[in-house]
Amino acid sequence: MPATFTVNDMTCNHCAGVITKAVKALDANARVDITVADKRVVIDSALPAQSFADAIEDAGYTPVAA
């Protein structure tokens, strides 16, 4: 099941790129779908959602499980 987060402090495509890079650092094969307008990040990976939440936080953003 994909991990879905709302990231209210993601405001632009640069932010989306930073988040994508953080996710790919954990799992290079993860599928990352980001919709900046909806502030939604969906990650399809076998790794636990909390790992990605921590990585997004470490990148400077505030993910909230959706």
Side-chain angles (χ1 to χ4, degrees), residues 1-2 4 18 26-27 35 38 41 46-49 58 65-66:
M1 172 184 262
T4 303
V18 171
L26 284 180
D27 181 356
T35 308
D38 294 337
V41 177
L47 294 179
D58 289 346

Side-chain angles (χ1 to χ4, degrees), residues 8-58:
N8 287 316
D9 48 0
M10 175 180 65
T11 59
C12 64
N13 287 330
H14 172 76
C15 298
V18 171
I19 291 170
T20 299
K21 185 175 178 181
V23 168
K24 293 289 190 172
L26 284 180
D27 181 356
N29 296 317
R31 193 175 119 238
V32 185
D33 291 317
I34 296 179
T35 308
V36 174
D38 294 337
K39 301 186 181 303
R40 183 169 304 278
V41 177
V42 180
I43 304 163
D44 193 3
S45 170
L47 294 179
Q50 188 59 49
S51 298
F52 294 112
D54 293 343
I56 294 169
E57 276 188 29
D58 289 346

